[in-house]
Amino acid sequence: MKMANNERKPDGLRAVERTVAVLRALAESPPGASLTELVKATEIPATTLHRMLGVLRGTALVRETVDGRYALAAGTMALARSYLDGLDLRQEALGVMRPLSAQTGETCHLGVLALVHVVYIEKIDSPSPVRMYSRVGQTNPALTTAIGRAILAHSPAHVLDEVIEAHGRLSGEPVVRADIDALLAGVRADGYARDLQESELGICCVAAPVFDHTGHVVAGLGISAPATRFDAEAAGRLGPQVRAAAADLSGQLGWSGAPTRAITEPQTGAPARGVADPESGSSTRDVAGPQAGSGGRTPEPRSLPAAARSLPTAAR
């Protein structure tokens, strides 16, 4: 990482900026970097850089590899752990939710997956006198809400299977798994999910996933509005805004921009159980989707304490 500018600053501040530049350059090269590579990346003179690296090695922030390269050391993990331990999802989210609600003029929700439902754990009301009613602790079916779909689109197959099975037992309505796969594939492609009066008549929502520092989906961030001022065109316009806000929140949680993808294998044949489609009159609903080219560790949505999981379902 190159220095921001060459403006003359007090020696102490300049040294701090150079140190940060070195650490960031090393963070961008996990296997390590040579002195020559670091000089090129930071534009710090080699003699000065060599002395800095010696000091950083003494503080356990930088180490020298067996092949003579420089890399981040264990001391940086202690700093990262302290940062992560101090994070509070709800508190971090408020700094993103307030401006998002103000910019869109709509109610903003933060929700997490709790078995078959999404539970709202934080909200900012719309400044408009005509707005949807909701409360923290309220639950709604994950399969039909934008927040639920945003989370499920990045959840592993077994989580999606459990949600579908539990929803089927509660509703008694079937859903074709191929349709579920198709919808969530679209959510992943767009980066946000829509709910155009599919969960509740007269209410529309758009939401995006929130990831933690490991790339696992931990929540969904969304805005909700009366259908009188929210349609498909509005969803397409506001969706990228919500997606950007969710990415900002994810960044605050330590997300680097590359979510750990779920491996969701589409199932063919017999329909799974789920939710009815009020628009088509059919008893199917497309809610989730396969993930092309997915791989690596399977993310697990974070679960809530037992008290939160036992909250009763409440209509919006």
Side-chain angles (χ1 to χ4, degrees), residues 43-118:
E43 296 184 343
I44 299 173
T47 53
T48 301
L49 182 57
H50 189 267
R51 289 197 299 270
M52 292 176 62
L53 289 168
V55 173
L56 288 170
R57 287 178 63 191
T59 61
L61 295 178
V62 170
R63 61 188 172 88
E64 189 170 356
T65 65
V66 293
D67 58 354
R69 299 171 73 82
Y70 295 95
L72 293 179
T76 59
M77 292 185 62
L79 296 177
R81 188 179 303 113
S82 294
Y83 169 73
L84 293 172
D85 288 346
L87 289 177
D88 181 294
L89 176 58
R90 291 175 63 180
Q91 289 301 314
E92 296 295 327
L94 286 173
V96 171
M97 296 172 69
R98 289 191 181 105
L100 180 61
S101 179
Q103 292 163 12
T104 61
E106 305 299 352
T107 297
C108 185
H109 291 105
L110 179 71
V112 297
L113 190 64
L115 298 181
V116 71
H117 296 115
V118 162

Side-chain angles (χ1 to χ4, degrees), residues 193-206:
R194 302 172 178 84
D195 161 17
L196 302 180
Q197 303 189 69
E198 296 158 89
S199 182
E200 181 179 350
L201 188 64
I203 298 296
C204 297
C205 311
V206 62

